[in-house]
């Protein structure tokens, strides 16, 4: 059979199955039966992205199938292959959505099925920083279980996000390999149609970050081709349906690598690699993915894929716990003459001398020296420790400063991992990432309890106190410059964040100090200095210099932006914001919700629905994406009256930000315990109940001027 015949026959087969399934569902439930995927504002995501039409009922699904049929042209041109591939993918989406009828949960451990919008937003930052350099879609059954494990591990070690479809899932389970989003290996499902759940992620990324108009299929495919670094590994034997799905992947710009002999190859798109051990290299080359290599001399793996790994009590060799005993982690700037580069010292017992399962003290001091080093960069470097130590396979880290907690697993210990290796990791990572400011670096790790107490109380805490005073004195007024951040332009081509001391980047990961350090490390990089010498309107925080900067960095897409208003010229969003804030008209206030909260808000919208109101670098008055830390800022919506406008937040978020919010409310308005006046999901998820609660609490927003 020619490639044409194979794709057409696969497409026809899937179309037939889909038609049958939809008809059967209509017969059973009626045409008005509602259908959707959970936790997305774009249902059905793929069909909506391609056609611009939302499908909400079985009847509409049947109509949509008619539209899909029109894509299935048979004129024997390359275009027909691609369109039949897309049609096959859409059919797969239809088959999959039928599984979710009546709120069913068709996928069970370890499979995920449909992935929520929140997952895609979370992927934003790691994808743009190259922390996740690519997305692999592995389909079918590897020649052997060992081949399957080796391939997945090779991607994992590179930080590549792996999604799995079909028998390979059982192969990994059989080998006892841990899977899950936290280790970047996501089994989608056993049926080939479940591959649509990763396609759905790519297409929603275009809508969320790329400001692609749903229905603009040309730009949609251009976006996935240029900006989503995905590729497919399809194991032999291939059947017509898999080939037809593969044609859909190729249409989106994702190359397909297979070990099926005799397939007619298409350069850079359909590649035969009979040696499965070379799938990794062939795929990276085909998709032009470059891997940053950090060589660290430790006996276990070091990769960002292990960042989310959790070590249970029963699996741990030893533990260090700053909440129980004296611990600390600290970066200290010293004179170059005082240290020896790459010297690592352990003062106190090594892991061998600690009892199995015991809780111990640890304090590590990373001494750095360099001509361009500034004390302001110390906390920036220090905050990365969490991420560095977590990337060690079999080691887990939470917390910071003197409240960190570390676990070393039995597996890592048995592989030879010792405390001194934490020093190796810190040394190599700091030298690697901060080479522009750190010329020399030495690490001292204390495990002797008396020394830990001394370091914590006499060295670390005084340093932290000094830094906190410095942070408090950092206000938008007290500094001479702000910074731009355009890191997210990889996905959101016209988005610019303006980062100020009192307004961090909306992803929550870039503070003014971070931006300053980034600028110092890479003067031509994503963070540039913005002067603030020519104010236009102090009330909304508008400056001529800031406007000129956003015009330049957005390539003219954005003309003017305010720092302190949600209504007038608000800052744009890319899509990876931690929180979204939107106007609540009945109370004159605003509702904030965060990515982790899956429930309903009084606006009648969930996080993904609210989040879909803004993004792609476009200004949307009334909606604002922002970082969690911004909520307690005196500059939060200052133009509209500030945090006094906040009427509702999910309970957990409210608890996280309560201390700062209450302090700010006390200082600005003289209100005590302001968060007690703010509603949450245990109080109200509809406007009537919320307003009744706010009235009872005499919430200040009720008597403020209308926002619209
Ligand atoms: Fe993206 Fe803004 Fe965060 Fe920079 S500060 S990474 S542009 S969200
Ligand atoms: Ni103490
Ligand atoms: Ni972003």
């Amino acid at each position: 059979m020619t490639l044409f015949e194979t794709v057409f026959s696969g497409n026809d087969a899937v179309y037939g199955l889909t038609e049958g399934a939809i008809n059967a569902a209509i017969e059973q439930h009626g045409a008005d039966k509602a259908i959707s995927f959970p936790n997305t504002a774009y249902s059905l995501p793929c069909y909506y992205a391609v056609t611009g039409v939302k499908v909400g009922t079985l009847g509409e699904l049947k109509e949509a199938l008619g539209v899909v049929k029109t894509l299935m042209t048979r004129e024997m041109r390359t275009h027909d292959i691609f369109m039949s591939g897309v049609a096959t993918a859409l059919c797969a989406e239809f088959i999959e959505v039928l599984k979710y009828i009546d709120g069913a949960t068709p996928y069970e451990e370890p499979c995920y099925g449909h992935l929520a919008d929140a997952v895609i937003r979370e992927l934003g930052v790691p994808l743009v920083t190259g922390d996740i350099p690519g997305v692999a879609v592995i389909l079918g059954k590897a020649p052997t279980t060992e081949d399957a494990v080796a391939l997945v591990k090779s991607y994992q070690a590179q930080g590549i996000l792996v999604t799995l479809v079909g028998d390979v899932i059982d192969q990994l389970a059989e080998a006892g390999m841990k899977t899950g989003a936290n280790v970047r290996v996501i089994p989608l499902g056993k049926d080939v149609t479940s591959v649509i759940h990763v396609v759905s992620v790519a297409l929603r990324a275009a809508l969320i970050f790329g400001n692609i108009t749903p229905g603009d299929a040309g730009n949609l495919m251009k976006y996935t081709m240029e900006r989503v670094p995905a590729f497919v590994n399809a194991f032999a034997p291939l059947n017509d349906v898999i080939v037809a799905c593969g044609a859909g992947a190729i249409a989106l710009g994702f190359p397909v690598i297979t070990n099926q002999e005799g397939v007619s190859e298409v350069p850079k798109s359909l590649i035969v690699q009979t040696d499965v051990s070379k799938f990794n290299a062939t795929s990276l080359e085909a998709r032009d993915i470059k891997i940053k290599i950090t060589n660290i001399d430790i006996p276990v793996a070091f990769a960002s894929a292990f960042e989310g790994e959790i070590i249970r009590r029963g699996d741990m060799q030893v533990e260090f716990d700053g909440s129980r005993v004296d611990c600390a982690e600290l970066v200290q700037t010293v004179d170059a003459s005082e240290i020896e580069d790459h010297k690592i010292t352990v003062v106190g017992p090594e892991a061998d001398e600690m009892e199995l399962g015991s809780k111990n003290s640890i304090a590590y001091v990373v001494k750095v020296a360099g001509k361009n080093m500034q004390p302001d960069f110390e906390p920036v470097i220090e905050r990365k420790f969490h991420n560095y130590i977590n990337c060690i396979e079999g080691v887990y880290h939470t917390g910071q400063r003197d409240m960190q907690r570390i676990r070393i697993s039995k597996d890592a210990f048995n592989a030879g991992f010792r405390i001194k290796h934490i020093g190796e990791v810190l040394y190599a990572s700091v030298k690697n990432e901060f080479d522009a400011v750190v010329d020399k670096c030495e690490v001292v790790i204390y495990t002797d309890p008396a020394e830990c107490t001394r370091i914590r109380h006499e060295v670390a805490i005084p340093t932290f106190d000094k830094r906190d005073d410095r942070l408090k004195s950092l206000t938008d007024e007290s500094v001479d410059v702000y910074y731009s951040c355009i890191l997210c332009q990889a996905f959101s081509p016209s988005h610019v964040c303006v980062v100020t001391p009192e307004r961090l980047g909306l992803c929550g990961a870039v503070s003014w100090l971070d931006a300053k350090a980034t600028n110092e490390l890479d003067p031509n990089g994503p963070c540039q200095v913005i002067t603030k010498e020519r104010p236009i309107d102090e009330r909304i925080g508008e400056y001529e210099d800031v406007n000129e900067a956003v015009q330049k960095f957005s390539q003219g897409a954005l003309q003017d932006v305010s720092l302190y208003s949600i209504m007038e010229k608000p800052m744009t969003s890319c899509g990876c914001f931690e929180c979204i804030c939107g106007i609540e008209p009945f109370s004159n206030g605003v509702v904030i919700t965060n990515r982790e909260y899956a429930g309903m808000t009084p606006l009648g919208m969930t996080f993904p629905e609210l989040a879909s109101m803004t993004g792609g670098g476009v200004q949307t008055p009334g909606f604002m994406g922002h970082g969690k830390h911004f909520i307690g800022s005196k500059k939060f919506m200052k133009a509209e009256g500030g945090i006094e406008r906040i009427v509702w937040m999910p309970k957990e978020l409210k608890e996280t930000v309560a201390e700062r919010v209450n302090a700010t409310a006390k200082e600005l308005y003289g209100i005590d315990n302001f968060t007690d006046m703010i509603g949450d999901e245990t109080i109200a998820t509809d406007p009537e109940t919320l307003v009744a609660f706010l009235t009872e609490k005499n919430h200040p927003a009720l008597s403020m001027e209308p926002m619209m």
Side-chain angles (χ1 to χ4, degrees):
M1 276 211 287
T2 67
L3 192 56
F4 284 95
E5 289 164 337
T6 314
V7 171
F8 294 159
S9 123
N11 180 202
D12 290 340
V14 175
Y15 180 85
L17 283 175
T18 313
E19 193 176 33
I22 294 176
N23 287 339
I26 290 180
E27 200 151 297
Q28 191 187 343
H29 302 281
D32 294 333
K33 183 76 178 172
I35 45 161
S36 69
F37 288 108
N39 304 314
T40 177
Y42 304 94
S43 214
L44 312 181
C46 298
Y47 185 77
Y48 178 56
V50 172
T51 66
V53 178
K54 287 197 176 183
V55 170
T57 64
L58 283 175
E60 288 165 6
L61 191 63
K62 181 146 181 138
E63 277 170 43
L65 190 67
V67 176
V68 170
K69 183 85 190 167
T70 65
L71 300 177
M72 296 162 56
T73 48
R74 298 287 181 258
E75 284 162 30
M76 299 306 205
R77 281 194 245 120
T78 323
H79 180 76
D80 299 332
I81 293 194
F82 289 152
M83 283 304 124
S84 294
V86 172
T88 309
L90 294 176
C91 285
E93 180 170 57
F94 295 177
I95 290 179
E96 287 292 310
V97 78
L98 292 177
K99 296 181 181 172
Y100 286 89
I101 274 189
D102 279 331
T105 45
Y107 287 93
E108 39 185 79
E109 286 259 325
C111 294
Y112 281 70
H114 171 79
L115 299 167
D117 287 356
V119 173
I120 302 166
R121 293 178 187 279
E122 247 168 63
L123 290 176
V125 170
L127 278 166
V128 295
T129 56
D131 191 23
I132 298 181
V135 179
V137 184
I138 304 181
L139 213 146
K141 185 174 189 172
T144 68
T145 301
E146 292 72 39
D147 289 330
V149 171
L151 183 65
V152 172
K153 283 204 164 162
S154 73
Y155 289 131
Q156 220 182 5
Q158 293 163 329
I160 287 178
L161 177 75
V162 181
T163 60
L164 307 167
V165 176
D167 289 342
V168 63
I169 296 172
D170 291 332
Q171 291 182 302
L172 294 190
E174 190 188 307
M177 189 165 170
K178 279 188 224 158
T179 58
N182 62 327
V183 287
R184 292 196 191 154
V185 180
I186 304 184
L188 293 172
K190 309 279 172 69
D191 300 336
V192 64
T193 48
S194 65
V195 73
I196 197 63
H197 301 305
V198 57
V199 176
S200 165
V201 168
L203 298 186
R204 275 181 284 162
L207 302 183
I208 290 174
F209 299 112
N211 194 33
I212 299 293
T213 313
D216 183 356
N219 275 318
L220 182 74
M221 292 185 201
K222 190 164 174 277
Y223 183 93
T224 53
M225 162 114 53
E226 289 173 358
R227 299 182 188 270
V228 181
F231 57 86
V232 179
N233 287 173
F235 290 118
L238 302 183
N239 60 33
D240 294 357
V241 172
I242 296 173
V243 175
C245 288
I250 292 170
L252 298 176
F254 308 153
V256 177
I257 289 79
T258 179
N259 56 336
Q260 172 82 61
E261 287 174 73
V263 173
S264 31
E265 293 191 72
V266 182
K268 279 251 157 199
S269 294
L270 181 56
I271 300 165
V272 176
Q273 172 55 266
T274 49
D275 182 352
V276 172
S277 74
K278 292 192 180 129
F279 266 22
N280 182 311
T282 307
S283 303
L284 298 199
E285 197 194 318
R287 196 66 182 110
D288 255 332
I289 295 173
K290 308 241 171 351
I291 304 290
K292 278 192 272 177
I293 304 174
T294 324
N295 266 326
I296 304 181
D297 192 13
I298 55 173
V300 292
F302 178 86
S304 55
F306 299 109
E307 224 183 304
E309 185 193 27
I310 291 164
I311 292 159
R312 293 192 189 82
R313 181 161 293 280
D315 297 331
M316 100 194 168
Q317 178 73 25
V318 285
E319 177 177 45
F320 307 92
D321 185 351
S323 68
R324 299 297 183 80
V325 286
D326 286 328
C327 290
E329 46 183 39
L330 187 69
V331 172
Q332 252 184 347
T333 313
V334 297
D335 193 81
S337 63
E338 293 171 38
I339 56 171
E340 189 184 318
D341 190 46
H342 204 163
K343 184 171 172 193
I344 290 156
T345 324
V346 177
V347 181
E350 244 303 348
D352 316 76
E353 300 151 73
M354 294 174 179
E355 234 173 277
L356 180 70
S358 60
K359 229 184 244 313
N360 304 274
S361 297
I362 195 166
Y364 28 92
V365 180
V366 177
K367 300 180 183 184
V368 296
K371 287 183 297 297
N372 301 323
M373 181 64 198
Q374 299 176 23
D376 262 357
F377 302 153
E378 287 174 5
V380 173
I381 299 177
E382 209 174 277
R383 231 193 33 213
K384 301 291 290 201
F385 288 3
H386 167 67
N387 161 277
Y388 298 155
I389 296 176
N390 251 339
C391 287
I392 306 170
E393 185 180 14
V395 180
Y396 159 87
H397 178 286
T398 57
Q400 54 171 336
R401 290 190 156 189
D402 56 349
M403 281 296 152
Q404 88 269 38
R405 187 153 160 213
I406 298 177
R407 281 180 175 181
I408 298 176
S409 74
K410 287 178 190 160
D411 286 348
F413 178 83
N414 292 335
F417 189 87
R418 294 296 177 267
I419 288 162
K420 65 172 189 234
H421 294 121
I422 293 178
E424 284 292 344
V425 166
L426 293 174
Y427 169 81
S429 307
V430 167
K431 281 293 285 261
N432 184 42
E433 189 167 348
F434 295 95
D435 59 334
V437 295
V438 175
D439 301 332
K440 279 170 91 179
C441 172
E442 175 176 332
V443 185
V444 187
I445 305 179
Y446 300 90
T447 54
D448 176 80
E451 281 294 284
C452 288
T453 300
R454 180 183 70 81
I455 292 291
R456 180 183 182 205
H457 290 283
E458 291 170 30
V459 184
I461 291 179
T463 310
F464 299 150
D465 288 345
K466 228 198 291 172
R467 278 191 209 152
D468 286 345
D469 290 342
R470 160 92 175 125
L471 274 183
K472 270 193 210 115
S473 72
L474 275 183
T475 60
D476 287 4
E477 292 76 23
S478 74
V479 298
D480 296 330
V481 297
Y482 300 147
Y483 291 94
S484 59
C485 182
I486 55 161
L487 208 55
C488 284
Q489 286 197 356
F491 289 101
S492 236
S494 55
H495 172 71
V496 184
C497 274
V498 180
V499 181
T500 78
E502 292 175 88
R503 181 168 190 167
L504 80 170
L506 55 86
C507 56
V510 180
S511 71
W512 185 84
L513 281 181
D514 293 313
K516 182 181 172 198
T518 305
N519 176 259
E520 187 76 25
L521 293 167
D522 183 3
N524 299 315
C527 295
Q528 296 295 315
V529 171
I530 308 182
T531 58
K532 38 168 292 223
E533 286 153 4
R534 288 168 281 141
I536 299 174
D537 185 345
E538 307 261 0
R539 186 183 62 89
I540 61 171
E542 189 184 4
Y543 297 81
E544 268 178 59
D545 348 27
V546 173
N547 285 344
E548 283 164 15
V550 296
Q551 284 161 18
K552 179 173 160 209
F553 295 126
S554 71
Q555 289 89 34
L558 197 60
Q559 290 308 308
D560 39 28
V561 65
S562 73
L563 303 176
Y564 309 138
S565 176
I566 190 177
M567 296 305 292
E568 299 168 58
K569 308 169 186 173
M571 223 183 270
T572 61
S573 298
C574 42
C576 62
F577 39 83
E578 288 186 299
C579 302
I580 172 98
C581 172
I583 294 185
E584 202 294 300
F586 298 99
S587 61
N588 277 329
V590 293
V591 158
I592 302 174
T593 185
N594 56 318
R595 227 161 34 196
E596 294 85 354
Y597 175 69
M600 190 43 82
T601 72
L603 299 183
M605 289 189 267
T606 57
F607 177 86
E609 288 163 344
L610 255 169
S612 74
M613 306 296 288
T614 183
V618 181
Q619 281 177 320
T620 41
F623 295 95
M624 172 172 78
H626 58 86
K628 278 184 193 167
H629 203 71
F630 187 47
I631 303 175
S633 167
K634 286 183 206 158
K635 299 298 194 302
F636 183 84
M637 284 175 48
K638 179 175 130 310
E640 284 82 26
I643 62 165
E644 246 184 332
R645 291 274 188 188
I646 303 173
V647 295
W648 191 95
M649 275 191 258
K651 194 163 193 289
E652 225 183 287
L653 178 65
K654 194 162 73 174
E655 281 161 11
T656 315
V657 300
E659 205 184 314
R660 287 188 71 233
V661 166
N662 288 335
T664 303
K666 179 75 184 165
E667 192 182 331
L668 293 184
Y669 324 110
I671 301 175
D672 285 303
N673 295 323
F674 177 52
T675 45
D676 290 350
M677 296 178 168
I678 300 175
D680 62 43
E681 73 277 17
T682 66
I683 295 162
T685 49
D686 67 277
E688 292 77 26
T689 321
L690 177 64
V691 171
F693 167 80
L694 298 172
T695 310
E696 184 201 314
K697 293 281 175 188
N698 199 15
H699 191 293
L702 294 174
S703 49
M704 290 172 82
E705 263 176 55
M707 286 175 78
M708 300 193 282

